[in-house]
Amino acid sequence: MSEFPTRIAYEEALAIVRRVADEWRLAHERIATQRADGRILAEPIQAPISLPPFDNSRMDGFALRHADIQRTNAQMDSSIRLRIVGEQFAGYDTGLRIGAGECARITTGAPLPAGADTVVIKENVREHDGAIDLEVVPDAGADIRRAGEDVAAGDTVLQAGQVLTPARLSLIAALGIADLMVFRRPTVAVFTTGDELVEPGLPLAPGQIYNSNRELLMGLLRAQGLEPTAWPSLPDDPARIESQLRDAASAFDVVITCGGVSAGEKDLLPAMLSTHGQTHFWKVRMKPGMPVLFGTLERAAFLGLPGNPVSVLATFSRLGRALLNGMQGRAEPHSPWFAALAVGWDKTHDRHEFLRGRLSCGQDGRLSVTPHPADASHRLKGAADSDVLIVLPEGARNYLSGDVVEVVGY
Ligand code: AMP
Ligand code: MG
């Protein structure tokens, strides 16, 4: 077979995936803010206005001039009375001006009337005969939200490469921005392969199994906000595999397959890719997922995942996500999470390992993770009962209970 890296370290595989993803960076598109959730920003966002846009009240109450209500302790027995000269509700600016001895009724979010510099909440006054008596004297400037205290006009509030979370989209909406530039979403074609596969709902003949990886892959992709397209499962037939995969690779940005990448007689994908495309690597020193295949085919990035379900989970979660994030220009790394092992684990091999585990947070605020004892790559139930991958880097090591390890959610 032609020259390409093989049996490489996991970190090296990740670096190759990231480099290729940068080369395959998708184009920008301008879309409505309303439709941008989960997308990656392709431009920095500058605030066209300040937030809040104007000085306004933080509470329902009365706007007043603090100079009118200053009292020494000795004067506190005499009540402070202010005449109500108008109303200022949210949504309008009535152009009201507060003079000496005056106040205005105000609601939360209403612009502060000229002359006023303080708000007293309605619970702290007694209202009668068109006036208020203050029962509690507020501090100067109390309960006022100042223009620009959250964001000053002209500030850069978000950077290219950041993911648009609901809070960030809300900030963009508050700034009045109705559309923005994001990276295009990759189109993803999903293939399962294997003569043994039958779709759920159909009868099983001897030797057959149900196709479970399609649900896994489609779910993992949808959780990334993508809308993947699945094909009918491919038989282990070289001509069918070649024509279907090349066809999809001409029309989609990314082709993801599972199965057919190890060393068996029916593992046809590595030869297909090196003959008709370009192989960037085949086989990574990781467990599970060792036979993972990565390259390009036609106009698509090609990721060939191994067939065992837990291998799909590990290889997609690390290499697949890195590819899809990189192609979308995501430049905001997740900070890794760490947890203490709840039980020891004797890692007797050299490969970079991903165990499945259950994460929990104790009353002491410490995260701990319990590795699932069923660590073989076909043990789907163990993966279903778990919620994280436990990362054990290259090298044999006897991990003790309490040792801190990296965990990756799935
Ligand atoms: P392969 O890499 O094609 O040799 O597959 C490795 C193992 O994963 C075999 O036991 C396959 O039967 C199983 N496998 C492959 N594809 C799927 C799938 N889509 N759903 C469930 N198991 C699969
Ligand atoms: Mg197979």
Side-chain angles (χ1 to χ4, degrees), residues 48-123:
I49 57 171
S50 293
L51 291 181
F54 47 85
D55 290 350
N56 68 91
S57 179
R58 200 172 74 87
M59 301 293 276
D60 297 324
F62 295 87
L64 51 79
R65 299 163 12 127
H66 199 258
D68 290 347
I69 62 167
Q70 279 167 356
R71 287 285 193 280
T72 63
N73 281 340
Q75 294 170 308
M76 264 326 275
D77 49 342
S78 61
S79 69
I80 305 169
R81 180 161 300 175
L82 298 172
R83 201 159 52 82
I84 304 170
V85 295
E87 294 173 330
Q88 179 60 72
F89 297 146
Y92 310 92
D93 191 341
T94 50
L96 205 61
R97 169 165 285 282
I98 306 298
E102 296 176 347
C103 68
R105 195 185 305 282
I106 195 163
T107 58
T108 305
L112 195 66
D117 57 15
T118 300
V119 166
V120 58
I121 63 174
K122 71 200 282 192
E123 292 80 356

Side-chain angles (χ1 to χ4, degrees), residues 192-194 196-197 209-214 233 236 258-262 267 305-309:
T192 52
T193 70
E196 72 278 33
L197 300 179
I209 61 167
Y210 286 117
N211 183 357
S212 59
N213 286 346
R214 181 186 291 147
S233 197
D236 293 315
C258 64
V261 291
S262 350
D267 291 325
L305 308 180
N308 276 306

Side-chain angles (χ1 to χ4, degrees), residues 1 52 79 115 117 215 224 287 319 359 373 388:
M1 223 170 267
S79 69
D117 57 15
E215 286 317 308
Q224 302 286 293
K287 181 180 186 284
L319 303 174
L359 199 60
V388 291

